[in-house]
Amino acid sequence: MAMLTLIAARDRKGAIGRNNTIPWHVPEDFAFFKRETSGCAIIMGRKTWDSLPKKPLPNRLNIVVTRQMQDPAPNTLFLDFEQAILQAKSAGHDHIFCIGGEQIYRQMLPLADRILLSTVETDIPDADAFFPEFSASEWRPVQTQILREADPRCSVTEYHRA
């Protein structure tokens, strides 16, 4: 059975982005993201796809949820929301990651089995994208790992559905 994981980094107030960018630079969190998602299927919205510095992200099946079908790039599929998870499963992926943005996280949260949520100890005052709120009664923290001690400090917490 495939496991669906939401993976994100947020500031102390839940912000995940500003002007379609990640408003901090934490190489340790990028390295964690790469280790976790490598070899897996990743599902993202079109704005997240547009924001990627390198497309597609290497060593992953990139699935872009969009209503604007495009010519597929190598190892990339452009699908509607309903088809995204089905396609990842039918391609044989046991680990599927949702990598954002805000609307895709909101749609995937009720379907998710796990959340990997990094917290960057900073506040982005003009943020325009946020990770959705989730209920402590529905999710239990399993472990927290410090990714970076230097400013800005960053830790990642793994949650499982209760």
Side-chain angles (χ1 to χ4, degrees):
M1 187 168 114
M3 176 181 286
L4 175 62
T5 300
L6 307 187
I7 186 168
R10 66 178 180 180
D11 76 357
R12 289 183 282 236
K13 296 180 180 174
I16 59 172
R18 176 181 60 208
N19 298 325
N20 211 30
T21 65
I22 298 172
W24 51 74
H25 183 70
V26 180
E28 297 86 347
D29 190 54
F30 289 131
F32 173 79
F33 173 88
K34 183 178 181 180
R35 279 191 313 272
E36 285 293 319
T37 63
S38 188
C40 300
I42 56 174
I43 299 174
M44 70 196 91
R46 186 198 42 81
K47 289 180 185 177
T48 299
W49 170 257
D50 290 345
S51 75
L52 295 178
K54 181 179 181 179
K55 299 176 187 89
L57 289 179
N59 196 29
R60 300 161 187 90
L61 173 61
N62 290 239
I63 300 174
V64 182
V65 174
T66 181
R67 288 182 291 270
Q68 305 167 8
M69 299 305 160
Q70 302 176 25
D71 291 330
N75 208 27
T76 305
L77 300 170
F78 295 88
L79 303 167
D80 62 27
F81 179 78
E82 290 75 27
Q83 292 297 310
I85 293 174
L86 292 173
Q87 187 60 44
K89 287 178 180 177
S90 70
H93 289 279
D94 291 331
H95 299 286
I96 304 166
F97 288 86
C98 173
I99 68 167
E102 180 178 350
Q103 295 306 316
I104 301 300
Y105 286 134
R106 287 188 193 290
Q107 289 180 290
M108 294 276 187
L109 183 60
L111 308 173
D113 304 295
R114 183 172 77 137
I115 301 171
L116 292 175
L117 191 56
S118 296
T119 300
V120 181
E121 298 296 328
T122 190
D123 294 313
I124 306 301
D126 51 351
D128 55 16
F130 296 85
F131 193 82
E133 295 289 325
F134 56 96
S135 168
S137 66
E138 292 181 30
W139 295 92
R140 61 180 172 79
V142 175
Q143 66 178 341
T144 299
Q145 173 186 353
I146 304 300
L147 297 177
R148 176 187 173 120
E149 288 285 357
D151 191 30
R153 187 175 189 271
C154 180
S155 62
V156 62
T157 301
E158 178 177 355
Y159 298 88
H160 290 186
R161 190 169 289 282

